[in-house]
Amino acid sequence: KFALGSFIMRGAGCTINDMWDAKYDKQVTRTKSRPLASGALSYNQAWMFLAAQLSAGLAVLLSLEPHLQDCFVWGAASLPLVGMYPLMKRYTNYPQLVLGLTFNWGAIMGWVAVHGNNVDWSVVGPLYASGVCWTLIYDTLYAHQDKADDAKLGLKSTALTFGEEGTKPVLTALTGAAWGCWMLAGHNVGFGDVLDAPLYYGGVSAAAAHLLWQVHTADLNNVENLAHRFRSNNVVGWMVF
């Protein structure tokens, strides 16, 4: 149920992003063929689809017994981030940070669904932070695909903020932070030392190695290269899983 809810709400976030950004997407080479930007779908259709997604998400949320009330409170708390993220590229140089805070809310929801409101932040905090770092890595590389169009339109991103020279050093540091947080979360949840849980610690270390590969083999001016590295994050997810 939790995985299904995460899938539905991420989809809702993507729908909101396309709705808020349609007028900009029309002017960006990579996104001008999206359904709303191209005119293949109307805003009324988009609103109906979003309503269906949110209704499905609510149905999943209401089934999360025995901690329904706690899950409802934490789920509702995420909605401002879901609605706010698509607007952040207009106002902050770090919209990818807001995306990370939004997309990784599931780290908190997962704990609450199992344990209720008694959140162990020594575990959930590092896990959430690792996800935020990971999101900053893959979405900064992703944003380099659109940096020329974004600059013309006056939009902001970490790709533009870090620039050609700063992107790889910053993302390398974020990879180290993500790896450290994964390791800390495992230790604090009771996995013990590395030799006590080699599959977990080995998996997150392999995931960090894959992120380093993405960063250091990325051609920041090659759209196909960047798209391939972005899509490869499903491998990172399986390694952590």
Side-chain angles (χ1 to χ4, degrees), residues 2 74 101 104-114 116 119 121 124-125 127-128:
F2 182 74
W74 282 98
L101 295 171
N104 295 286
W105 199 262
I108 303 171
M109 287 295 298
W111 183 278
V112 174
V114 175
V119 179
W121 290 106
V124 177
L127 184 61
Y128 185 49

Side-chain angles (χ1 to χ4, degrees), residues 28-184:
V28 176
T29 301
R30 186 181 57 82
T31 59
K32 63 184 180 182
S33 61
R34 287 179 175 175
L36 276 174
S38 66
L41 288 179
S42 68
Y43 269 92
N44 284 338
Q45 290 173 310
W47 276 113
M48 288 189 289
F49 183 58
L50 177 61
Q53 288 176 301
L54 293 177
S55 297
L58 179 61
V60 173
L61 180 62
L62 293 176
S63 72
L64 293 178
E65 296 287 358
H67 302 294
L68 172 58
Q69 184 174 350
D70 295 332
C71 288
F72 188 86
V73 170
W74 282 98
S78 72
L79 293 179
L81 284 172
V82 174
M84 184 171 62
Y85 160 68
L87 302 174
M88 288 299 98
K89 63 184 70 176
R90 298 157 173 79
Y91 304 112
T92 176
N93 290 324
Y94 300 93
Q96 281 70 25
L97 174 60
V98 182
L99 177 65
L101 295 171
T102 306
F103 263 22
N104 295 286
W105 199 262
I108 303 171
M109 287 295 298
W111 183 278
V112 174
V114 175
H115 301 286
N117 205 36
N118 186 26
V119 179
D120 185 346
W121 290 106
S122 73
V123 176
V124 177
L127 184 61
Y128 185 49
S130 69
V132 174
C133 291
W134 178 18
T135 303
L136 276 162
I137 295 163
Y138 68 68
D139 210 58
T140 297
L141 293 179
Y142 186 78
H144 270 279
Q145 298 176 92
D146 301 330
K147 59 192 173 189
D149 288 324
D150 285 347
K152 291 177 184 177
L153 294 169
L155 299 176
K156 306 174 190 298
S157 73
T158 48
L160 292 171
T161 300
F162 300 153
E164 298 283 332
E165 297 298 321
T167 289
K168 292 190 177 185
V170 172
L171 298 192
T172 298
L174 286 169
T175 299
W179 176 73
C181 287
W182 281 326
M183 298 288 280
L184 182 60

Side-chain angles (χ1 to χ4, degrees), residues 10-20 36 46-47 49-50 53:
R10 283 201 173 198
C14 291
T15 301
I16 292 171
N17 184 70
D18 283 5
M19 292 173 69
W20 277 209
L36 276 174
W47 276 113
F49 183 58
L50 177 61
Q53 288 176 301

